[in-house]
Amino acid sequence: MHLIRDAHQGDIPNIIEGIKAFVAASSYKIDTVDPLHVENMLLGLINSNDGCVAVLETEEGHFAGCFVGLAHAHLFSGQRMLGELFIYTTPTARGHGGKLRRFAEEWARDCDCKTFGIAYPVSESHLEKVYRRWGFTPCETHWRKELN
């Protein structure tokens, strides 16, 4: 059984390791991981009413994944929305991402969010089926350009 709880400062090293593992295992190689920056971002989100940072743990208390998101007002409508920044499960916890998503949805509802946005790297298109199964629909495509 896996449990989900709000993250605290002591969870940050595990979340950073999860980000590093994600970058190493996926084709998402467009960014490097700056651990100090990630730590500062996570601290800010953990200490903010607009930050959703949750940890998935095994019954033994071992890190098994996380969700990181930010609630904000949508530019057009002004309605609050939750934007996913990172969702991850360790290889041994694959199949439990839905628990993190449900936790985030409940958090978003409690914070008066009307929508929940989630993304995946272009190369990880298999996640489209998962997100559709979770009730998400495509709404926009993001493009990126490196600025030197």
Side-chain angles (χ1 to χ4, degrees):
M1 177 181 232
H2 288 79
L3 310 168
I4 300 175
R5 61 171 175 77
D6 290 320
H8 51 77
Q9 186 173 356
D11 295 310
I12 291 175
N14 286 329
I15 297 171
I16 291 171
E17 289 306 311
I19 292 170
K20 288 178 180 178
F22 167 78
V23 170
S26 75
S27 60
Y28 191 82
K29 308 276 189 235
I30 57 177
D31 288 312
T32 58
V33 179
D34 178 343
L36 183 57
H37 171 74
V38 175
E39 179 179 3
N40 288 330
M41 285 286 295
L42 291 171
L43 279 172
L45 290 167
I46 287 169
N47 292 313
S48 168
N49 291 333
D50 292 331
C52 178
V53 185
V55 170
L56 177 71
E57 292 182 329
T58 65
E59 283 185 344
E60 297 79 26
H62 300 293
F63 178 81
C66 62
F67 177 88
V68 180
L70 175 65
H72 59 91
H74 189 276
L75 176 64
F76 300 165
S77 68
Q79 291 185 338
R80 283 182 56 81
M81 64 175 290
L82 175 61
E84 170 259 342
L85 301 174
F86 184 60
I87 184 169
Y88 172 76
T89 56
T90 61
T92 58
R94 295 284 146 63
H96 293 279
K99 293 176 184 174
L100 286 164
R101 186 255 318 156
R102 286 188 295 276
F103 180 94
E105 283 181 7
E106 286 304 312
W107 181 94
R109 285 185 188 97
D110 290 345
C111 293
D112 297 321
C113 293
K114 303 300 180 202
T115 58
F116 179 178
I118 195 166
Y120 60 84
V122 172
S123 61
E124 307 299 319
S125 60
H126 65 280
L127 291 172
E128 181 176 341
K129 291 179 185 174
V130 173
Y131 293 173
R132 283 184 187 276
R133 191 173 64 244
W134 288 353
F136 289 86
T137 56
C139 64
E140 63 184 319
T141 300
H142 293 257
W143 292 72
R144 179 174 165 146
K145 178 181 180 180
E146 296 297 322
L147 301 175
N148 301 355

